[in-house]
Amino acid sequence: MTDEVQGPGRQRRIDVVDELTPEQAAEVLELITEAAGTDGQPAVSEQGRLRLRGGSRPGVRHVLLRGEADALGGYAQLEDTDPVEAPAAEFLVRPGWRGKGHGRALGSTLLGESGKRLRVWAHGGHPAARHLAQVLGLALFRELRQLRRPLGEQALTEIAEPTWPAGVTVRTFEPGADDAAWLAVNAAAFAHHPEQGSLTQRDLDDRKAEEWFDPAGFFLAERAGRLVGFHWTKVHRAEGLGEVYVVGVHPDEQGSGLGKALTATGLRHLAGRGLPTGMLYVDADNVPAVTVYERLGFTTYETDLMYRTES
C-alpha cells in the first residue's frame, strides 16, 4: 500500500511484507538501535527482533515506512498467531522523523491489517505513546513491570541457599538432548500465557544461536528423571544486568516451593558471575509473583504498557 503526504519531510510510502530481506532486516535493526538510544529501551521486544531474520514466519507481517530517498523512517511488526486474542503489534518511528504523522500512519496501517482487532505494546510507557494510543482509539489493557534489585556479593548472603522439594534434583540444560522435554514443560507451565507457552523448536533454536545463550545458566529440575521445572537466566553483559529470563514450574509441582528454589538458584548464579544488578519482567496483575519478587528485594524499574481496541 502507499500513503502519500505532501510537504518537506512528510512524504512517505508504507509497504507490508511477509518476509524481510537480509538488507531490510539490517535496516530495521539499525533503526531499533538508534531509537533505543533516545527512548531508553528497544521499541521491539527480543521475540520481535528474532523474527526479523530467518525468513517468513507464520502469522507475522512487517510494515516498512519510507520517506524521501527511500530512507527507512518507521517500522511495525504484526503477529497474528493467538487463536483467541487479537493480533499483537510493536512499532516505532525514527527519532528525527517524529511529530510528522508517521506514527499515526503506521498505527492506522496496523488497524487496517488486523481488521481493527489489535493489541499494541508501548515499551516504557512514554507519554507520546500513550497519546498516540488514544488517537488510534486504543485502551490500556495490560501492564508489564520490569523489576530490579542489587546483586553482587551481597546477594549471595541475602538470598538463601535453595531448599528443594523431596525427590527433586537440579542440573543444567543440555542443548539438543533437553530441547523436547523443555518445550513440553514450558508449554504446560505457561498454558495460560500464550506468548511464552507457544514457543516452538524454531523459537528455542533462535535463542540458542544468540551470543548471550549459556547453558550453564539454564537450570532444570527433575523428579525421577522427568523435567518438572526450570530457571533460564540471561546475562546482559554490556548493561551489567543478570536477568531472571523465565522461571517455569509444571502444574503438578506448583505450590511445592520449587519455583522459589529455582529462582534462588538462578539469582545466586547471576550474583556469582559478578553482575551488579538483577532484573526480571512480571505482569502487574500477577500479585502472587510480584509479592514473591518484592520479598526477594526487587522493586519496579520501568513499565511496559499494552493497549488494545475495545471491540
Side-chain angles (χ1 to χ4, degrees):
M1 64 171 291
T2 301
D3 178 12
E4 295 288 347
V5 177
Q6 301 300 317
R10 291 176 179 265
Q11 181 181 344
R12 59 174 167 258
R13 185 184 82 247
I14 296 179
D15 298 314
V16 181
V17 299
D18 294 330
E19 179 179 350
L20 297 178
T21 66
E23 294 75 20
Q24 289 171 330
E27 279 187 289
V28 171
L29 285 170
E30 182 276 329
L31 171 61
I32 293 170
T33 300
E34 178 186 330
T38 297
D39 300 331
Q41 67 282 311
V44 177
S45 64
E46 176 193 59
Q47 176 76 330
R49 298 194 300 274
L50 290 172
R51 294 190 189 117
L52 298 176
R53 303 187 295 266
S56 64
R57 303 192 183 230
V60 176
R61 281 167 280 173
H62 307 274
V63 184
L64 304 170
L65 184 149
R66 296 187 180 278
E68 297 177 3
D70 213 34
L72 183 67
Y75 170 75
Q77 185 177 122
L78 185 66
E79 182 261 328
D80 185 10
T81 57
D82 193 302
V84 177
E85 290 286 0
E90 301 173 296
F91 68 100
L92 72 154
V93 173
R94 193 178 294 275
W97 292 45
R98 295 173 182 176
K100 299 179 173 65
H102 298 313
R104 183 169 185 172
L106 279 173
S108 296
T109 299
L110 291 168
L111 284 169
E113 290 289 320
S114 67
K116 295 187 178 180
R117 286 189 69 244
L118 183 66
R119 296 175 296 151
V120 177
W121 277 110
H123 298 290
H126 297 289
R130 295 171 187 249
H131 174 70
L132 181 56
Q134 293 177 338
V135 170
L136 294 171
L138 307 177
L140 182 61
F141 166 58
R142 181 180 171 192
E143 179 182 332
L144 184 68
R145 295 181 185 174
Q146 183 191 133
L147 309 184
R148 293 189 180 187
R149 65 148 292 160
L151 285 181
E153 291 298 321
Q154 181 180 356
L156 290 173
T157 58
E158 292 180 348
I159 301 172
E161 288 274 5
T163 301
W164 299 100
V168 170
T169 59
V170 65
R171 62 177 178 84
T172 55
F173 181 84
E174 296 182 23
D178 289 322
D179 289 16
W182 179 80
L183 286 166
V185 76
N186 179 72
F190 293 97
H192 62 290
H193 194 305
E195 291 172 347
Q196 178 67 31
S198 63
L199 292 186
T200 65
Q201 183 67 53
R202 183 175 182 180
D203 296 319
L204 178 56
D205 289 341
D206 285 341
R207 287 156 175 77
K208 290 195 296 181
E210 290 292 290
E211 183 180 358
W212 59 261
F213 176 73
D214 180 9
F218 194 163
F219 300 94
L220 305 182
E222 293 182 318
R223 182 184 295 280
R226 172 174 169 261
L227 185 60
V228 293
F230 61 91
H231 182 175
W232 189 351
T233 68
K234 178 179 180 180
V235 173
H236 303 259
R237 181 59 63 184
E239 296 87 357
L241 296 172
E243 181 178 353
V244 178
Y245 189 50
V246 57
V247 178
V249 175
H250 192 280
D252 293 347
E253 296 285 338
Q254 289 176 1
S256 67
L258 179 56
K260 181 179 179 180
L262 282 164
T263 301
T265 295
L267 286 173
R268 290 178 63 84
H269 166 77
L270 293 170
R273 295 283 302 272
L275 296 161
T277 305
M279 62 165 287
L280 58 86
Y281 290 94
V282 63
D283 278 292
D285 62 0
N286 188 348
V287 177
V290 171
T291 300
V292 167
Y293 293 132
E294 288 179 342
R295 287 174 178 168
L296 285 169
F298 284 91
T299 58
T300 299
Y301 177 77
E302 66 180 23
T303 301
D304 294 339
L305 303 176
M306 176 177 267
Y307 297 88
R308 70 174 179 183
T309 51
E310 296 284 9
S311 56

